[in-house]
Amino acid sequence: MNSILTTLAFVALTAFMVFRHARANRRGRHTVEAAAAPCPRCSALMPEGATFCPGCGVPMQAFEMVAAPVASGGAPAASGPAHAIVRTDVCVGCGTCVAACPEPGAIRLSDKIASVNREACVGHGQCVAACPVSAIVLTTGDAVQQVEVPELNAGFESSVPGLYVVGELGGRGLIKNAINEGKIAVEDVARALPPDAPRADGDAEAFDLLIVGSGPAGLSAALEAHRSGLRYAVLEQGTLADSIRKYPRHKLLLAEPLRVPLYGDLWVADSSKEELLRVWEAIIARTGLHIRTGLRVERIEREGGMFHVTAGGGSFRARRVVLAIGRRGTQRRLGVPGEDLDKVFFDIVEMEQFANARLLVVGGGDSAVESALGLANQPGTEIVLSYRGDALSRVKERNRTKFDAAVRSGRVTPLFQSQLREIRKDVVVLDVNGQSRIQPNDWVVIRIGGEPPYEFLRRIGVRIVQKEIALPDSQGASVG
């Protein structure tokens, strides 16, 4: 009898332990499932913190902006003492804020972008006042950066069906993101328009795809279209890969290799944009991409299932359009000899790269003044600002005050009533009050305005929204 009772007790205890183990396993599975999130592209469940999708292999960083929530429009909730936040999409890495901050270690340059040590920051705001490009704000709320971007889905298709936006115009200027986005967008096009399937519209002359822009995103999109067998063309308003030639960064850095369609791994480590351009030209020569240069896209209209694109005086029909035109839009140009030299920039970031250089900034608006002030803060720079007017009449009072102080201290030399006539390798030729003047020069920055790309998008019908990008303490490019 005792042995029977012992056996029954053992069986009951075993059953109880099995039940607890099974329930714990179910709870653990539920926890894992709760922590998992679907991939925006293929919907495969991804463990929390995964950087690549286990289903389709796409890096999740490509969807950072797409997946970000739309801003509510209200002020961030107070959650502590005031502290500074750096807008990484605006910061030019000039270091003015570091010199202005009296708190040692509260703000520093990290990966060529200013970052704030929240524990050391006391919120006095001297960095805010000093920043020449208004890239720093004080807040008592969470570290959130608001960015104006087109509304896109996981395939980078906009609110206009069949129109895709990739690369810098989508809100992130990283080359690796641009290459990934161009490929993902065209994969989406190829699924909707299988290359071997007949076209429902019956238009044998229409392109399956027009790609606007030949920068990293545009070329990646073109390579994927070429590989997929789509009927496509790339329209570039300037010269081949003009967006790389006029890229605002002096140096480029890809910390990891990228898989470029029809090419393989691309790894540019602390290289110049000229080196990247040589790689681009080799890829184009080897693959025979269909690129048409000198065609500025002036209008895109959607009629039914077809896009009508006007560019360079001609007209094109396409079933899909990929816009890879960058965030700087169509820059206004001076039309002077030498303007296409590699020493000329139409925008500029990472200003520390120009230390100990002689620079000419052309323009009389806020963007020109801000560029001059940021460059003047670099050690050893000689900054000349050329403006055809007799005074700065179109700038914010805050910028005017800073500019006047920089002139008084000798950090900026203004040349009013002057016009740039020619750009040469080591000098520039100016007309100053009707007199020709040759100025020693290493770099030229032309900031005379242009057509903002978002106005172009709005005319097409693309919705533009404000997205909130979290800047956690662990990110060196935000709050450190």
Side-chain angles (χ1 to χ4, degrees):
M1 185 65 180
N2 287 338
S3 62
I4 294 175
L5 291 175
T6 301
T7 301
L8 289 175
F10 178 77
V11 169
L13 179 62
T14 302
F16 176 71
M17 295 299 293
V18 169
F19 171 76
R20 287 190 60 184
H21 180 71
R23 188 170 68 172
N25 278 349
R26 285 197 299 271
R27 186 182 299 114
R29 284 197 301 271
H30 291 161
T31 301
V32 171
E33 290 170 1
C39 168
R41 182 165 176 255
C42 71
S43 299
L45 284 180
M46 295 180 42
E48 186 178 11
T51 56
F52 288 84
C53 173
C56 63
V58 171
M60 290 299 99
Q61 189 180 37
F63 302 108
E64 178 186 27
M65 194 64 68
V66 169
V70 175
S72 62
S79 60
H83 60 89
I85 289 179
V86 178
R87 287 190 57 189
T88 58
D89 61 328
V90 178
C91 177
V92 294
C94 68
T96 306
C97 55
V98 179
C101 180
E103 303 296 328
I107 191 164
R108 64 187 185 277
L109 288 182
S110 176
D111 295 328
K112 304 176 183 179
I113 296 291
S115 63
V116 177
N117 181 342
R118 192 162 174 176
E119 293 182 357
C121 179
V122 298
H124 50 58
Q126 292 188 32
C127 58
V128 178
C131 179
V133 294
S134 302
I136 308 178
V137 296
L138 283 182
T139 180
T140 56
D142 293 332
V144 175
Q145 170 188 334
Q146 291 195 2
V147 183
E148 187 178 50
V149 293
E151 185 178 54
L152 305 174
N153 64 18
F156 298 95
E157 186 176 19
S158 73
S159 55
V160 177
L163 182 73
Y164 296 76
V165 177
V166 296
E168 189 184 35
L169 184 57
R172 278 289 184 260
L174 296 176
I175 290 178
K176 60 181 179 180
N177 276 6
I179 291 173
N180 287 326
E181 291 169 16
K183 182 177 186 296
I184 292 169
V186 177
E187 287 175 343
D188 197 71
V189 172
R191 282 192 293 270
L193 300 171
D196 298 329
R199 301 300 181 236
D201 51 60
D203 190 340
E205 299 299 320
F207 288 98
D208 291 325
L209 175 64
L210 282 178
I211 301 163
V212 183
S214 65
L219 288 181
S220 176
L223 288 165
E224 184 60 30
H226 199 86
R227 187 191 68 79
S228 298
L230 295 169
R231 187 167 187 267
Y232 76 96
V234 179
L235 306 181
E236 168 57 56
Q237 69 174 350
T239 57
L240 183 62
D242 194 56
S243 61
I244 295 178
R245 283 192 173 92
K246 298 307 177 189
Y247 199 65
R249 297 177 187 272
H250 188 201
K251 286 284 188 178
L252 307 173
L253 174 64
L254 301 184
E256 58 197 43
L258 291 171
R259 193 74 182 173
V260 179
L262 294 181
Y263 176 75
D265 287 343
L266 171 66
W267 196 332
V268 181
D270 197 23
S271 300
S272 69
K273 59 182 181 180
E274 289 76 25
E275 290 172 295
L276 179 62
L277 181 58
R278 284 193 287 272
V279 173
W280 247 227
E281 289 172 335
I283 293 173
I284 293 167
R286 191 174 80 181
T287 58
L289 293 182
H290 309 314
I291 300 179
R292 306 185 185 193
T293 60
L295 294 176
R296 178 176 179 267
V297 172
E298 298 145 2
R299 181 177 299 177
I300 299 176
E301 298 173 312
R302 181 177 173 85
E303 296 180 7
M306 198 72 69
F307 288 94
H308 294 263
V309 180
T310 303
S315 182
F316 304 86
R317 299 188 306 279
R319 298 174 181 91
R320 300 290 188 274
V321 172
V322 169
L323 290 179
I325 58 177
R327 297 187 69 184
R328 293 173 294 280
T330 301
Q331 299 288 340
R332 188 175 296 127
R333 300 172 70 90
L334 293 169
V336 300
E339 195 170 15
D340 290 324
L341 292 175
D342 289 334
K343 65 182 286 186
V344 179
F345 290 83
F346 291 88
D347 195 0
I348 193 168
V349 297
E350 298 174 0
M351 291 189 177
E352 78 281 0
Q353 297 284 349
F354 297 91
N356 302 307
R358 301 164 298 183
L359 294 105
L360 175 72
V361 179
V362 181
D366 283 307
S367 61
V369 170
E370 289 166 357
S371 293
L373 291 172
L375 290 166
N377 191 60
Q378 307 313 305
T381 53
E382 298 177 15
I383 310 300
V384 175
L385 180 94
S386 171
Y387 179 48
R388 62 185 180 181
D390 55 9
L392 297 177
S393 59
R394 302 182 292 110
V395 300
K396 299 182 182 74
E397 188 60 34
R398 175 175 179 266
N399 282 340
R400 187 194 312 279
T401 301
K402 291 182 179 180
F403 182 80
D404 291 343
V407 171
R408 288 193 300 270
S409 66
R411 294 185 297 122
V412 176
T413 301
L415 288 181
F416 294 122
Q417 294 184 331
S418 67
Q419 295 187 55
L420 180 61
R421 296 302 188 191
E422 185 180 353
I423 303 169
R424 301 175 186 171
K425 181 180 179 181
D426 298 316
V427 300
V428 291
V429 181
L430 298 131
D431 183 317
V432 184
N433 292 314
Q435 300 293 319
S436 180
R437 174 172 173 172
I438 296 179
Q439 180 83 28
N441 173 264
D442 299 310
W443 305 97
V444 176
V445 180
I446 300 175
R447 304 304 304 272
I448 56 174
E451 181 183 12
Y454 286 169
E455 291 305 314
F456 178 68
L457 290 181
R458 289 187 177 99
R459 287 198 297 271
I460 302 171
V462 175
R463 283 194 296 272
I464 306 298
V465 297
Q466 290 279 344
K467 289 285 188 100
E468 289 186 344
I469 306 299
L471 303 178
D473 287 353
S474 59
Q475 285 188 351
S478 53
V479 178

